[in-house]
Amino acid sequence: MPEQIDAAAALKGVARIEATARARSRWYVRYLWMFAGWQLIVVPAVLLWHGMVGALVSACANAVVVMGLSLFTVRQPVMPRGYARVHLRVIGAWTAAYAVALVLGFLVFADSVAFAAAAALVCALPAAATAWREGRAA
């Protein structure tokens, strides 16, 4: 009988640790929503604001946001299960979307506000879809 009590106590302890770890890993969902939101700002800025000033302001703002998100990431005590694989997939999909958006935006759809808005949505989609999926799983 004492073994059963000890086993039950151990299982409760494991469940408590798992619940804490799961709650603390929800930061990644917030990170992804922030990244997706930033795409809605930076992509139109890069595509529509031409010249040296536009490039400089966009690059500096992007560097500040990326550094802030990176600092936010390294300060988190818990990484979600499968974080590296999921994050590499998100960043890979975003990179492809961003590269296509820039090429088309500069070569085919120059100064098109409609294209800049659509490109921003497409660039935000990988992070937003993953945030939605991870939020439901957590």
Side-chain angles (χ1 to χ4, degrees):
M1 203 52 123
E3 297 86 24
Q4 290 175 342
I5 294 172
D6 290 343
L11 286 174
K12 283 183 183 178
V14 168
R16 187 176 63 249
I17 291 169
E18 184 178 317
T20 301
R22 182 171 286 136
R24 286 192 167 185
S25 69
R26 289 192 181 133
W27 66 267
Y28 187 53
V29 173
R30 290 188 301 275
Y31 170 92
L32 288 169
W33 282 120
M34 288 186 282
F35 186 80
W38 175 239
Q39 297 311 301
L40 299 177
I41 297 168
V42 76
V43 171
V46 168
L47 291 176
L48 298 175
W49 196 3
H50 301 294
M52 187 59 99
V53 174
L56 186 62
V57 170
S58 297
C60 289
N62 204 26
V64 168
V65 169
V66 167
M67 286 188 326
L69 287 173
S70 297
L71 181 62
F72 176 73
T73 299
V74 298
R75 295 185 49 122
Q76 301 309 311
V78 175
M79 294 294 170
R81 181 176 289 148
Y83 166 76
R85 179 180 41 80
V86 170
H87 192 64
L88 286 175
R89 235 183 343 199
V90 168
I91 295 302
W94 169 80
T95 301
Y98 189 68
V100 169
L102 291 183
V103 168
L104 290 176
F106 289 139
L107 299 179
V108 179
F109 298 103
D111 295 324
S112 172
V113 175
F115 178 78
L121 290 172
V122 169
C123 288
L125 186 62
T130 305
W132 182 76
R133 191 184 75 239
E134 292 289 318
R136 290 183 48 93

